Amino acid sequence: MSLSRLLPRPLRRKYQSWKEKNESKLKEYGLMWYAFKRSPISVAGLIIVVFMMVFALFSPQVLSGTEQLMNFLSVHKMIKETPEFNAFDYSMDLLQPPSWRHWFGTDEFGRDMFARCMLGLQISLAYAVTVITLGVPLGIILGLVAGYYGGKVDELISRVTDIFFAFPSLILAMALAASLGAGMESAIIAMIVVWWPGYVRLIRGQVLSVRENLYVEAARAAGMSDFKIIIKHIAPNVLTPVIIYLTMDMAGVVLMGAGLSFIGLGAQPPTPELGRLVYDGLNFLPQKWWYSLIPGFILFIWALGFNLLGDGLRDVLDPRYRRRLEFKMKEKKKKKKVERRGEEQNV
Amino acid sequence: MSEFKYYLMRRLATWIPTLIGVILITFIVSHVVPAMPAKNAFFHKVNPQVLEVLKKEFYLDKPPWEQFFLYTRDLLTGHWGTSMMTNRPVIRDLETYYPVTIQLAILGEILIIVQGIVLGVIAAAKQNTIIDQTIRVIAIIGYSMPYFLLAIVLQYIFFYYTNLLPGFGLGKEPKCHVTGLYLLDSLMCGDFSSFTDNLKHFILPAWTLSIPGMAVIARLMRGSLLDTLGSDFIDFCMMKGLPERIIVWKHAMKNALIPIVTVAALQFGGLLGGAVITETIFALPGVGRYSLQCTYALDFPSIMGVTFLMGLTFLIMNLIADLLYAFLDPRVRL
C-alpha cells in the first residue's frame, strides 16, 4: 500500500489491477514468507548460506595472492634488513596453529590456511553452481518427456537411468574423472553425468500422477499441443519438489566434489581445494589438527546450510502446511476479536 | 509361491540388461572417453612396438562393437587386465582387498538400519515435540557430514584421546582361512580373541560410514510409521480394543518397515563410495584405499576393475532388496 503511493498515477492504477488479478497468488507468497519466518531451521540455513556465499565470492578478491605467499619471503627480507638476524631462530611460520596472524594456522610451506580455505570455498561453490545448472535441466527435460509420453520412450529413458543408478555415485564419478584426466573440468563433467538421473526419476514419478488430472485432459481436448501442455500445465505442478531437492543437492555436490578432490581428482595443486586440503593434512595428524579439521569443518557448515535451507523449504512449499497456518491465523484473529469485544463490554 | 517365481523371472529379465548396461558404461569410460589409453597411461615418447603390443592388449585395432564383445568376454572370464601399480592381475589384487570392504559395508549397513529405525521410531512416538525436532536436526547434521571430518573427529575422540578403540588397520589374523572374511573366519574356528579384535577395528570406520545413511533412514522411518498409524486398519485395531503396544509393534511396524528395505539398499552405494575415504583415514587395506592409491598412480586397469566390482556388488545388493521387498509386500508381486 505504502509503496504503491510513490508510483505515478497511471502506473498505480495498473499496479492495482495487477494486484487484484493475482490476489490469490500474492496471498500464497505472503503465507510462504510467513511460514519461512516461522521455521528456525530454514532461517538458520539461509543465514549460513548467505554468510558462506559472501565469503566465497569476496574473500578471494581481497586475499588473492596471499594463499601462495610463503612467509619465507618475509624472512628473507628480515635477513637483508638486519645483518645479525639468524634464520634458524625465526620459526618461519611453518605449520603454525591458529593465531591472530594466521586465523586458521599455516600449512607445511607456511602458506596461510585461511586464504587457502576461502579459495577452496569459492571452488566448491563453482562446482555446485555449474553441476546444478547444467545437470538438473537435463534431468528435468528427460523426466518430463518420459513421464508425459510413456510407452517406449519412457522405457528407454528409465532403463538408461537404471544403469546409472547401478553404480555407487562416487565410484562412477571417480572412474569418469580419472579417465578424463585429473582437473576441475573433468570433475565437473563427471559429477554432471552422475547427477542427472536422480532428477529423471523424481520428475517422472511426479508427472505420472499430475498427468492424470482433469485439467490436463481438458487442455488436450481443447487441442493444445503436447509441448504447451508440458510447459504450461505439467511443469509448474511438478517443480515444487525440484526446488527442495535442488537446495539439498547443492550440499550433495559440494560434498561429492570434496570427495573427488580428496581422491586427488579435482583441481590440481597448488590450487587449494577443501577436500584436497583435508587429504594433505592427514599426514600431520594428530599433532597438527587444524590442517585437515578446519577445511573439513568448513565443508560441513557449507553443506549444513544448504541442507537446513532445503529441509525448511519442504515445510514452506507444502500447501497443506500453509493451509494449516492460514487456519491457525484465522483462529488467532477470531480469538483477538472475542477478547476485544469482552474488553469493550467490561469497560 | 508360483507368483513369486513369476516375479523373480520378471525381475531377472530387467536385471540382466542392467548388468549389460553396467559393462557398457565401464567399457565407454575405459575405451571411448580417453582417446587413447596407451597414450594416457605412459608418456608420449612411447616405442611404436610397445604401442602395438598395448593396442593388441586393449583390442584397439578392432572395430568398437568387437572391442565391446571382447571386453565383456574378458570381464566375465576374469581377465581384468594387469595393474600397473602392483604389476599383478587386477582380479588377484581385488581378491585380497575385497573382503575387508564388504565386511565394512555390511557392518555399516547393519548400523544404518539399527540406528535409523530406533531414531525414526522415537521421533514418530514423540511427534511434534522437542525430541522430534532434535532428531530432525540430528538427521540434517548427519547428511551434511563429510565422511572425512567425522572419521577424523571419531579417531581423535576414541583413539588419540581416550584410546578406547583402535584407530588404524585390521585386527589379528584368525587361525584359519576359509572365506577370507576375518570376522566370519574367526567365528568359524572359534577364535574369539581375533573376532573381538577385528570387530573393534571395524567399529569406528563402520560407524563413520553409517551416519549419513542413518539420517536418511531415520527421516523415512518417521514418515512411514506416521503414515501407517494414520491408516484405516490401525483404526480398526483400535476399535477392536487391542493394546497400543501390540498395535504399534506388531501391526504398524511390519507395514512401516517395507519402504525401508529399498532405501536401505540404496544406502549401500553410499557405503561403497564412502569406503574410499574411510579406509584411507583408518588405514584399512580394502578396495577403497586401493582405488585411491591407483588414482594417485594413474593405474587405469585397476580403477576400472574397482568400478566394475563395486557396480556389480551394488547391483546384487539391489536385486536382493527387491526380492525381499516382494517377499514382504505381496502387492508388488502381482
Side-chain angles (χ1 to χ4, degrees):
Chain A
M1 260 217 308
S2 55
L3 268 178
S4 67
R5 253 178 225 167
L6 297 174
L7 295 170
R9 195 161 287 168
L11 269 180
R12 201 191 305 170
R13 216 169 286 154
K14 250 187 191 171
Y15 172 74
Q16 229 86 33
S17 70
W18 175 82
K19 204 177 162 191
E20 266 168 38
K21 243 188 208 170
N22 295 309
E23 205 187 339
S24 61
K25 249 190 206 171
L26 285 175
K27 203 177 138 204
E28 240 3 49
Y29 290 141
L31 265 178
M32 272 187 206
W33 177 235
Y34 181 67
F36 184 80
K37 276 193 300 185
R38 274 172 57 99
S39 90
I41 287 184
S42 39
V43 172
L46 187 70
I47 290 173
I48 293 178
V49 167
V50 169
F51 188 73
M52 297 292 260
M53 284 223 184
V54 168
F55 263 100
L57 290 177
F58 295 113
S59 61
Q61 269 67 44
V62 179
L63 297 166
S64 74
T66 48
E67 84 284 352
Q68 300 299 350
L69 191 77
M70 296 185 193
N71 278 85
F72 190 69
L73 286 179
S74 60
V75 174
H76 188 69
K77 207 175 154 197
M78 282 181 87
I79 293 171
K80 265 191 172 171
E81 282 167 5
T82 47
E84 67 274 23
F85 178 81
N86 184 355
F88 290 103
D89 292 344
Y90 198 76
S91 63
M92 298 224 289
D93 282 5
L94 304 186
L95 286 168
Q96 290 295 301
S99 60
W100 273 115
R101 202 170 135 87
H102 302 290
W103 289 1
F104 293 171
T106 56
D107 68 359
E108 74 267 38
F109 299 116
R111 292 177 290 194
D112 184 46
M113 283 295 284
F114 179 72
R116 285 174 74 73
C117 284
M118 289 305 124
L119 270 186
L121 198 64
Q122 193 180 34
I123 291 176
S124 74
L125 178 66
Y127 273 161
V129 171
T130 349
V131 171
I132 295 288
T133 46
L134 294 179
V136 171
L138 181 69
I140 291 177
I141 292 168
L142 284 175
L144 283 171
V145 169
Y148 184 75
Y149 290 102
K152 271 181 191 163
V153 184
D154 179 24
E155 193 67 22
L156 181 73
I157 294 176
S158 299
R159 284 291 86 79
V160 174
T161 44
D162 275 356
I163 293 167
F164 280 92
F165 270 114
F167 288 101
S169 46
L170 185 62
I171 301 280
L172 181 59
M174 190 184 89
L176 245 176
S179 90
L180 289 166
M184 255 180 88
E185 297 82 12
S186 44
I188 286 174
I189 293 171
M191 281 193 279
I192 290 171
V193 169
V194 173
W195 230 266
W196 65 269
Y199 284 86
V200 175
R201 229 179 230 192
L202 175 75
I203 294 284
R204 181 180 165 273
Q206 296 278 324
V207 173
L208 284 182
S209 68
V210 169
R211 189 174 69 162
E212 302 304 321
N213 279 329
L214 218 54
Y215 56 82
V216 176
E217 208 164 305
R220 210 175 294 151
M224 226 173 178
S225 69
D226 283 348
F227 179 73
K228 257 194 170 170
I229 292 177
I230 291 178
I231 295 291
K232 281 208 98 169
H233 294 292
I234 292 186
N237 290 304
V238 160
L239 287 181
T240 313
V242 170
I243 295 171
I244 297 165
Y245 270 83
L246 237 151
T247 321
M248 300 190 112
D249 271 352
M250 292 285 277
V253 177
V254 165
L255 290 185
M256 187 183 272
L260 282 180
S261 69
F262 183 91
I263 301 169
L265 291 169
Q268 292 303 299
T271 311
E273 215 177 309
L274 293 170
R276 183 66 181 236
L277 289 178
V278 175
Y279 181 81
D280 289 340
L282 284 184
N283 299 330
F284 302 101
L285 281 180
Q287 284 80 27
K288 320 282 182 214
W289 53 271
W290 60 90
Y291 198 157
S292 43
L293 268 185
I294 290 179
F297 195 72
I298 291 175
L299 273 171
F300 164 62
I301 296 290
W302 198 205
L304 184 70
F306 283 121
N307 276 332
L308 284 173
L309 187 61
D311 209 85
L313 284 180
R314 198 188 295 251
D315 282 347
V316 174
L317 295 175
D318 181 8
R320 279 173 300 177
Y321 180 73
R322 283 203 300 269
R323 290 289 85 73
R324 248 183 289 152
L325 265 186
E326 205 180 7
F327 183 72
K328 267 188 198 165
M329 281 164 78
K330 270 182 191 167
E331 293 272 288
K332 260 190 193 171
K333 269 184 193 169
K334 261 187 204 169
K335 256 189 196 172
K336 267 188 187 170
K337 261 187 191 172
V338 170
E339 275 170 15
R340 248 181 238 160
R341 258 180 219 162
E343 275 169 17
E344 276 168 15
Q345 277 172 3
N346 284 341
V347 169
Chain B
M1 216 50 201
S2 65
E3 63 192 22
F4 189 72
K5 247 183 211 165
Y6 180 64
Y7 177 79
L8 185 71
M9 299 280 284
R10 233 176 12 176
R11 192 66 193 76
L12 276 179
T14 56
W15 192 78
I16 288 167
T18 315
L19 180 66
I20 295 171
V22 165
I23 297 175
L24 182 66
I25 285 194
T26 46
F27 171 75
I28 290 173
V29 169
S30 61
H31 285 64
V32 184
V33 174
M36 179 82 196
K39 234 186 209 169
N40 271 11
F42 299 100
F43 296 100
H44 34 269
K45 280 184 189 166
V46 184
N47 191 343
Q49 278 175 330
V50 176
L51 214 58
E52 279 307 306
V53 173
L54 278 170
K55 261 188 178 176
K56 268 215 174 110
E57 196 188 322
F58 291 105
Y59 311 119
L60 289 176
D61 44 355
K62 300 210 166 61
W65 61 270
E66 210 179 325
Q67 278 182 38
F68 176 61
F69 176 73
L70 289 167
Y71 177 77
T72 312
R73 192 196 65 190
D74 279 1
L75 266 188
L76 297 181
T77 50
H79 298 280
W80 293 15
T82 313
S83 163
M84 295 169 189
M85 190 174 65
T86 56
N87 214 5
R88 291 198 315 163
V90 172
I91 201 157
R92 292 276 155 280
D93 274 352
L94 291 178
E95 250 173 31
T96 47
Y97 297 127
Y98 188 61
V100 176
T101 304
I102 202 76
Q103 287 174 86
L104 184 63
I106 288 173
L107 275 180
E109 184 75 53
I110 292 170
L111 281 177
I112 283 181
I113 293 170
V114 171
Q115 296 178 94
I117 288 177
V118 169
L119 280 185
V121 170
I122 293 173
K126 310 273 178 192
Q127 193 198 350
N128 295 333
T129 60
I130 293 272
I131 299 175
D132 185 20
Q133 287 296 322
T134 317
I135 290 178
R136 183 179 179 181
V137 173
I138 289 175
I140 298 171
I141 289 176
Y143 46 68
S144 321
M145 189 63 95
Y147 287 119
F148 31 75
L149 179 65
L150 195 61
I152 295 169
V153 169
L154 288 181
Q155 212 177 32
Y156 254 99
I157 296 172
F158 290 100
F159 178 62
Y160 292 130
Y161 285 150
T162 55
N163 213 356
L164 288 173
L165 291 166
F168 288 109
L170 277 178
K172 255 192 297 180
E173 254 185 72
K175 281 174 195 154
C176 56
H177 287 271
V178 188
T179 52
L181 307 170
Y182 278 14
L183 289 175
L184 202 62
D185 281 353
S186 54
L187 273 188
M188 278 161 97
C189 26
D191 186 359
F192 286 107
S193 70
S194 160
F195 177 75
T196 48
D197 193 33
N198 273 302
L199 198 62
K200 269 185 188 170
H201 278 86
F202 274 123
I203 287 177
L204 286 185
W207 198 21
T208 307
L209 280 177
S210 75
I211 297 297
M214 171 211 81
V216 175
I217 298 284
R219 291 302 295 273
L220 187 75
M221 186 68 210
R222 175 184 180 273
S224 154
L225 190 58
L226 287 178
D227 268 2
T228 326
L229 285 176
S231 60
D232 289 345
F233 75 93
I234 296 290
D235 287 349
F236 177 69
C237 288
M238 296 240 262
M239 275 196 286
K240 272 206 313 190
L242 284 177
E244 202 177 330
R245 186 169 40 88
I246 291 187
I247 293 177
V248 171
W249 289 106
K250 210 177 158 198
H251 295 267
M253 272 302 265
K254 242 191 210 169
N255 285 284
L257 282 176
I258 292 173
I260 303 293
V261 174
T262 327
V263 179
L266 285 179
Q267 298 307 316
F268 203 76
L271 291 177
L272 294 175
V276 179
I277 290 156
T278 9
E279 281 173 7
T280 308
I281 293 175
F282 289 103
L284 286 173
V287 177
R289 198 172 72 131
Y290 173 69
S291 71
L292 185 128
Q293 288 163 348
C294 296
T295 332
Y296 273 102
L298 287 177
D299 176 3
F300 210 66
S302 316
I303 298 173
M304 289 331 292
V306 170
T307 310
F308 180 67
L309 184 69
M310 295 291 208
L312 193 66
T313 314
F314 193 36
L315 211 54
I316 291 172
M317 201 59 206
N318 276 328
L319 182 67
I320 294 172
D322 272 0
L323 295 183
L324 199 65
Y325 194 103
F327 184 73
L328 291 173
D329 189 357
R331 281 169 297 183
V332 181
R333 276 180 252 157
L334 300 175

